[in-house]
Amino acid sequence: MDGIRFVMLLAALVVGFALAGCPRVDDPVVETGKNTAVPPEAAPSPVVSAAEEPKAPAMERRAVVTKVEIVGADEERAEDGRGGTIAAARPVAIEITAEAWPVRALDPVLHVGDLEFRHYTFPRLNVLRYVAADRALLPAGAAAWIQYGDDAASRIEVAGSLEVPR
């Protein structure tokens, strides 16, 4: 019961201080005796000059891909490009290096033709690494790009024709 009384007393003190200590806009200022309310006719105009216009948000920095490597991998299980993880037969890692990758709320998805690879790692600075379960799954000469979610504007070209060593 003592805990409840303490909480009630504390709540009453907080409300009392809030009501007693918060001046209102139309309260007189002690030094001048005038209130701070602005009559409607003296209110500032809603028209904003060109110099005061809000600036457009800065354009998102786009990643510039500098290198694409397809190397052997030693994973036991990897992606099939169709949403599944399967036993890896001849797994390959697709390592994509960029000057810098943008920070986004959604994960980057690698598209190779009609295939999508969603699981990635950062083995080194500015390198995204995706692993395909079998090099034979990757279509020869297919276009490859990275995209964040469904945002087509975030598309980053990786290769116009991805050359997969067979």
Side-chain angles (χ1 to χ4, degrees):
M1 190 66 157
D2 290 329
I4 293 174
R5 286 184 194 166
F6 176 74
V7 171
M8 290 175 60
L9 176 64
L10 186 61
L13 286 172
V14 169
V15 170
F17 283 129
L19 293 176
C22 295
R24 296 186 341 205
V25 173
D26 58 345
D27 284 346
V29 177
V30 176
E31 295 84 23
T32 63
K34 298 180 182 177
N35 70 19
T36 58
V38 179
E41 61 275 359
S45 169
V47 176
V48 179
S49 71
E52 296 172 358
E53 281 185 8
K55 294 184 177 36
M59 291 299 292
E60 174 186 315
R61 183 169 180 222
R62 304 275 306 173
V64 176
V65 173
T66 57
K67 182 168 60 168
V68 178
E69 289 183 291
I70 299 176
V71 296
D74 60 356
E75 277 79 359
E76 292 181 17
R77 298 185 62 77
E79 288 186 89
D80 62 3
R82 300 187 195 306
T85 301
I86 60 173
R90 295 182 310 154
V92 291
I94 303 167
E95 295 185 349
I96 307 158
T97 306
E99 291 174 355
W101 292 104
V103 176
R104 298 286 306 251
L106 299 172
D107 287 327
V109 176
L110 173 64
H111 297 261
V112 179
D114 292 335
L115 303 177
E116 293 183 359
F117 296 90
R118 297 182 175 280
H119 301 285
Y120 64 96
T121 59
F122 283 105
R124 294 178 300 286
L125 183 64
N126 297 332
V127 176
L128 284 174
R129 182 177 199 253
Y130 297 86
V131 179
D134 191 337
R135 69 181 64 232
L137 292 173
L138 299 173
W145 67 93
I146 289 178
Q147 184 171 309
Y148 293 83
D150 294 332
D151 181 13
S154 72
R155 183 173 168 153
I156 300 164
E157 298 298 325
V158 170
S161 175
L162 189 64
E163 298 303 321
V164 181
R166 303 287 177 193

